[in-house]
Every structure is written in structure tokens, then in C-alpha cells.
Amino acid sequence: MRFLSIGEAADQLGVAVGTLRRWHRQGRLASAGRTVGGHRRYLHDTLRASLGTVPAPTGKTVCYARVSSHDQAEQLKTQAARLEKHCVEAGFGDVEVVTDLGSGLNYRKKGLQRLLTDILRGRVARLVLVTKDRLLRFGSELLLRICEFFHVEIVILDAASTVSREQQLTEDLVEILTVFSSRLYGTRSRKNLRALAA
């Protein structure tokens, strides 16, 4: 008889730890017991059967990968391959990989727009990300809430960030400066072209 921690149980089912906690709050999943410290434990052999009332997800599994710039094209391939590998190992079917190359502040990226449309039309059962900020640098919580509303399971491979809070803030600041600098220079460039044409 083997007992699993909540993290191991989430891995076994291919969902995020937060999903298991939500199922507990909704009364859809019961643990086999708790440790002396109050941590839930699950029985390995009956874990899937104990889900009973949890509806099987319908629709496809979407792996969403994004990088900010063209010089990160290799990282984009690596990110997409890692997501696909996870889906194969977790036994997810009907997997689609959506990739975007653009700023995490840009809400108009083609891949992101397609993903959102598919979610709103009920075509997505599961969304798999390497980290939450691959979805959007700011506002990812809103999209994750939309996923929750449409019963889309969220799987985040690196849920616990290995980057310090200071480094995250620095990266956010650099992202903001990059976006606004490119807009400023783009505006100046257009003005110069118009002046030359006149």
C-alpha cells in the first residue's frame, strides 16, 4: 500500500496541485488521510477511482510556448519540446502546440488570440505551460480565471519559480522599457520616412 503526497498525486493525474486543492474544496476528491503534520495523503492504487464525480475533460490539450525575441528562437523550440514530452509522459491525448514570438505585454499575438478563442468556444480541456509568465507577463491571472470558468485544467511545469523576486521585477522592468522603446523608435522612424517622402 503506497501513499502519495499532494504533489505526487497531482503528477500522477497530470494536473496542478492547485487543481487538487480546488477539487477538495468542491467535495469532488477525498484524501486517504492526513499526516501528523496535517498534510493530505492519497492511496496510489485507488487515486483515479476516487475521483468518481470529477467529469472527464473534453477537448484538446494545448501546450502554449512563448519567447520575447527572435534571438530566442532555439529556446522556443526547447520549450515546446519540453511541453510535448510532458504531455506524452502524462498520457494526454489530442495535443496541440501553440507558439508565439513576442512580448509578454502584447495581448494581440496570433497564438494567444487563437488559444483564447478556442477556450471561449469550449474546445480546450487542458492548458500546459512551462511557467505562468509564458502566457502573459502581466494579466496572466485573468486568463487563468477564464480557464477556470470554462473548466480548463491548468498544468504548470515550473509552478515554483526558481527566479528571485528581485530578478522577476528586473525582468518586468526590462520588458516594459523594451516595448515602449520600440514603440517610440517605430514612431520616429515613420515620421522620418514621411519627411523624406515629402
Side-chain angles (χ1 to χ4, degrees), residues 3 7 14 30 47 57 62 71 79 84 98 123 126 148 154 170:
F3 288 94
L47 180 61
V62 177
D71 59 351
Q79 199 180 126
E84 270 192 290
V98 176
R123 298 175 184 161
R126 186 179 293 106
E148 188 179 335
I154 306 295
T170 303

Side-chain angles (χ1 to χ4, degrees), residues 120-192:
L120 296 176
R121 290 183 177 165
R123 298 175 184 161
V124 180
R126 186 179 293 106
L127 176 60
V128 187
L129 307 162
V130 172
T131 58
K132 190 173 67 172
D133 73 343
R134 292 301 89 198
L135 199 53
L136 280 170
R137 180 65 77 171
F138 301 110
S140 59
E141 289 81 8
L142 176 60
L143 279 180
L144 294 177
R145 181 68 184 94
I146 290 169
C147 287
E148 188 179 335
F149 182 82
F150 284 92
H151 308 291
V152 176
E153 295 296 339
I154 306 295
V155 179
I156 300 174
L157 304 190
D158 297 337
S161 179
T162 55
V163 178
S164 70
R165 185 70 185 137
E166 289 77 13
Q167 189 173 340
Q168 286 177 21
L169 290 171
T170 303
E171 288 172 2
D172 288 346
L173 182 59
V174 168
E175 185 97 26
I176 291 167
L177 289 173
T178 302
V179 168
F180 285 103
S181 295
S182 64
R183 286 182 187 172
L184 175 65
Y185 290 119
T187 303
R188 286 182 179 171
S189 176
R190 284 192 294 276
K191 283 181 182 174
N192 290 339

Side-chain angles (χ1 to χ4, degrees), residues 60-77:
K60 61 188 174 184
T61 294
V62 177
C63 299
Y64 182 77
R66 179 190 65 81
V67 292
S68 299
S69 60
H70 289 282
D71 59 351
Q72 295 175 310
E74 280 305 311
Q75 289 179 29
L76 185 60
K77 288 179 188 172

